[in-house]
Amino acid sequence: MTPSRDTETLCSVIKDPLKPERIINSLLHAFGHFSSELNGREKSYFLESLEGYRKGIMPLLVPLSILGSWVVRFGDEYLEGQTLFEPYPRELVPVTLIV
């Protein structure tokens, strides 16, 4: 049995996961869409969260959530459609409940 094209595509994508440097570059590019609209404290807060992610002491979700809130706040239609903010269906995202 030969693998389907979808299976081959999936295997090629997960074989080489994105490196943090590429993710950070994408986040900085998205940040550029808003930087002129933000105050100094907002910029610093985001850049500190990005540095935390780079150092491995903060999850990617933190800077991504900050950017996502600005996408909504400023109504950036271009970024709304980017897979950076929702790379896979929500049904596949595990939910961890802390009790």
Side-chain angles (χ1 to χ4, degrees):
M1 179 180 207
T2 60
S4 71
R5 179 167 283 201
D6 290 340
T7 301
E8 290 174 0
T9 301
L10 176 64
C11 288
S12 70
V13 169
I14 62 175
K15 179 179 77 171
D16 294 319
L18 286 177
K19 293 178 175 53
E21 297 83 19
R22 292 186 67 192
I23 295 171
I24 290 169
N25 186 46
S26 295
L27 295 173
L28 285 170
H29 178 75
F31 174 66
H33 284 241
F34 312 112
S35 62
S36 65
E37 302 290 329
L38 303 170
N39 66 44
R41 289 181 64 199
E42 289 172 311
K43 291 176 187 179
S44 293
Y45 185 72
F46 171 74
L47 293 173
E48 288 169 12
S49 75
L50 199 57
E51 183 64 12
Y53 168 68
R54 187 191 68 74
K55 290 179 177 179
I57 57 174
M58 193 170 292
L60 174 60
L61 182 61
V62 175
L64 202 54
S65 295
I66 295 168
L67 279 174
S69 72
W70 293 335
V71 169
V72 172
R73 176 176 162 193
F74 298 111
D76 190 306
E77 292 180 15
Y78 171 74
L79 289 178
E80 282 178 0
Q82 298 301 307
T83 57
L84 174 67
F85 296 100
E86 201 164 318
Y88 34 78
R90 287 183 184 208
E91 297 80 27
L92 297 178
V93 179
V95 176
T96 303
L97 298 176
I98 300 174
V99 180

